Amino acid sequence: MKTIKKGSQRQVTLEGMMTFGQSENGQRTADFQCCEDAEMEAFNGLCKVQMMRDGNVYMTELPKRVRNKPLFRDDNCSLSLGQNGHYYFVFTMPEELLNELPHKLVRQASAIAQKVVRMIMR
């Protein structure tokens, strides 16, 4: 049996068997068992998978998530500029500290607002 090496090729066709199933919690599974010797780079990623009625399966890797870079940070919050041109203020705090939330939220939001004012005045 010949060995197939994926080098600079953009597409490789392999023969094999695919098994479809469904787990106990309702999630669908698909396993492909290659019948040829192949040397390929390992891959693990988030993908869109389409299973057609005739048994064909199409898989496309989803683009990487672009995260917003924070402009300013404080203890429990951050301000960032999103890809869509909107500013995002995110404040997080554990539920157990509910009685401290109003004070900390006002203090940290004011601190971030002062940093923005200083940035604009430059």
Side-chain angles (χ1 to χ4, degrees):
M1 202 178 268
K2 66 178 182 175
T3 299
I4 298 170
K5 293 184 180 182
K6 185 181 183 302
S8 61
Q9 294 177 328
R10 296 179 65 76
Q11 190 172 5
V12 175
T13 303
L14 299 172
E15 291 185 21
M17 295 186 316
M18 185 168 276
T19 306
F20 299 105
Q22 196 166 9
S23 64
E24 293 174 3
N25 60 2
Q27 291 181 317
R28 296 168 195 234
T29 61
D31 298 317
F32 178 76
Q33 186 68 41
C34 183
C35 294
E36 304 176 46
D37 286 339
E39 289 181 23
M40 300 179 71
E41 183 181 337
F43 165 77
N44 186 358
L46 297 176
C47 299
K48 173 186 175 185
V49 179
Q50 289 181 288
M51 187 173 110
M52 309 311 273
R53 291 182 180 168
D54 61 0
N56 291 337
V57 176
Y58 303 100
M59 182 176 70
T60 307
E61 184 179 11
L62 295 174
K64 302 278 189 252
R65 177 180 168 195
V66 179
R67 295 186 178 264
N68 297 335
K69 304 235 181 335
L71 300 171
F72 301 109
R73 284 187 155 172
D74 209 322
D75 295 338
N76 303 86
C77 65
S78 68
L79 178 75
S80 60
L81 178 60
Q83 303 295 318
N84 58 359
H86 289 81
Y87 287 96
Y88 291 89
F89 178 80
V90 178
F91 181 85
T92 57
M93 182 172 275
E95 187 177 5
E96 299 83 41
L97 302 175
L98 178 63
N99 56 345
E100 297 176 29
L101 188 138
H103 173 70
K104 286 192 174 190
L105 178 59
V106 169
R107 184 184 63 76
Q108 292 179 22
S110 296
I112 295 280
Q114 289 173 1
K115 291 177 184 178
V116 171
V117 168
R118 281 190 293 250
M119 180 183 75
I120 293 171
M121 297 306 227
R122 285 188 202 168

